[in-house]
């Protein structure tokens, strides 16, 4: 099976605090993983991606993610959150077979709120 | 380079009607994929077109169809609209040399009444 789970529907953090958004995947081989961000009324912007190699990947806007094969996880982190980071975040897996082959399988998303 | 553009941005239709949405990919991108986003089902893959041919298809009924033109622009059509088709429809394109990365447009918000 190929699927993505984001356990947290909504997270609230204070501005300046650190952030970690969780993502777990199910896939039979080495996954291609992505994090996207969606601001209200907007499309999806690619934050970062993991294909292979270094398990800690850096992205735009100060985000990073760590791939842990043993835990089937690809968690997104940011050391210090800014109010402009408030948005919805989606973890995605590139489909390897079936109708979605080569396209994205998304988690349900985590909505991030930032307290001043 | 201009991003993915989608028209119209907002659309209101009545149940039973049909609708056509348009997507223009980033210049040089030949693959266009469509996704449906709803509060209940989240983001789901509809279909992908490459060089005017449907390459992959998600699990949606035949009322959902698409096509791609020689300039890589794509349209999707939904016939006999149902209330449950109300959603944000997103298209994404990718380039031949970075085939694993998809770049999304702003979406078309379809409301069916």
């Amino acid at each position: 099976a190929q699927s993505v789970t984001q356990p947290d529907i909504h997270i609230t953090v204070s501005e300046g605090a650190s952030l970690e958004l969780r993502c777990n995947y199910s896939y039979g081989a080495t996954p291609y993983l992505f994090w996207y961000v969606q601001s209200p009324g907007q499309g999806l912007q690619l934050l970062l991606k993991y294909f292979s190699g270094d398990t800690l990947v850096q992205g735009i806007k100060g985000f990073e993610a760590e791939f842990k094969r043993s835990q089937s996880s690809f968690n997104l982190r940011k050391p210090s959150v800014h109010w402009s980071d408030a948005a919805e975040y989606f973890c995605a897996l590139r489909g390897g077979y079936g109708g979605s082959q080569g396209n994205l399988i998304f988690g349900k998303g985590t909505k991030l709120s930032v307290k001043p | 380079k201009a991003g993915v553009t989608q028209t119209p941005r907002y659309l209101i239709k009545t149940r039973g009607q049909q609708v056509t949405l348009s997507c223009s990919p980033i210049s040089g991108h030949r693959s266009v994929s469509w996704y449906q986003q709803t509060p209940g089902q989240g983001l789901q893959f509809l279909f992908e077109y490459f060089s005017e041919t449907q390459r992959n298809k998600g699990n949606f009924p035949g009322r959902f169809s698409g096509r791609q033109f020689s300039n890589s622009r794509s349209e999707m059509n939904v016939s006999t609209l149902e209330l449950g088709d109300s959603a944000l429809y997103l298209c994404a394109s990718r380039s031949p040399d970075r085939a694993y990365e998809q770049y999304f447009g702003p979406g078309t918000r379809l409301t069916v009444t």
Side-chain angles (χ1 to χ4, degrees), chain B residues 58-80:
Chain B
N59 189 23
F60 278 81
R63 300 185 297 106
F64 292 82
S65 62
R67 59 178 175 167
Q68 188 179 34
F69 301 94
S70 58
N71 61 357
S72 296
R73 188 178 71 86
S74 177
E75 290 180 347
M76 67 163 281
N77 183 276
V78 188
S79 62
T80 319

Side-chain angles (χ1 to χ4, degrees), chain A residues 10-91:
Chain A
H10 190 188
I11 283 183
T12 300
V13 300
S14 297
E15 190 169 16
S18 63
L19 170 71
E20 182 168 28
L21 301 183
R22 296 184 291 164
C23 172
N24 293 101
Y25 68 89
S26 175
Y27 192 69
T30 299
Y32 289 10
L33 294 162
F34 307 82
W35 275 99
Y36 284 85
V37 61
Q38 185 178 38
S39 298
Q42 302 297 313
L44 299 170
Q45 182 181 22
L46 178 63
L47 284 176
L48 47 76
K49 57 192 180 286
Y50 171 79
F51 296 159
S52 64
D54 194 350
T55 57
L56 185 63
V57 293
Q58 303 296 321
I60 62 171
K61 303 185 179 187
F63 285 93
E64 66 178 26
E66 186 170 14
F67 171 68
K68 292 186 178 180
R69 184 187 301 276
S70 61
Q71 298 177 21
S72 297
S73 69
F74 186 56
N75 294 348
L76 182 70
R77 302 194 295 242
K78 187 169 185 178
S80 177
V81 169
H82 188 262
W83 64 267
S84 60
D85 294 323
E88 191 156 18
Y89 293 79
F90 293 91
C91 181

Side-chain angles (χ1 to χ4, degrees), chain B residues 30-48:
Chain B
R30 293 165 58 196
S31 165
V32 173
S33 297
W34 289 88
Y35 295 83
Q36 181 197 63
Q37 184 177 22
T38 61
Q41 299 300 315
L43 279 152
Q44 295 184 287
F45 168 68
L46 278 157
F47 31 65
E48 178 192 3

Side-chain angles (χ1 to χ4, degrees), chain A residues 32 34 36 38 41-46 49 51 88 90 94 98-108, chain B residues 9-10 33 35 37 40-43 45 48 56-58 88 90 94 98 100-107:
Chain A
Y32 289 10
F34 307 82
Y36 284 85
Q38 185 178 38
Q42 302 297 313
L44 299 170
Q45 182 181 22
L46 178 63
K49 57 192 180 286
F51 296 159
E88 191 156 18
F90 293 91
R94 180 177 180 266
S100 61
Q101 183 178 6
N103 288 276
L104 297 171
I105 299 165
F106 287 91
K108 293 292 190 185
Chain B
R9 292 292 311 278
Y10 302 91
S33 297
Y35 295 83
Q37 184 177 22
Q41 299 300 315
L43 279 152
F45 168 68
E48 178 192 3
N56 289 294
K57 189 177 191 305
L88 181 66
L90 294 161
R94 48 182 163 165
R98 302 183 80 167
Y100 301 134
E101 298 178 21
Q102 294 192 359
Y103 295 90
F104 284 81

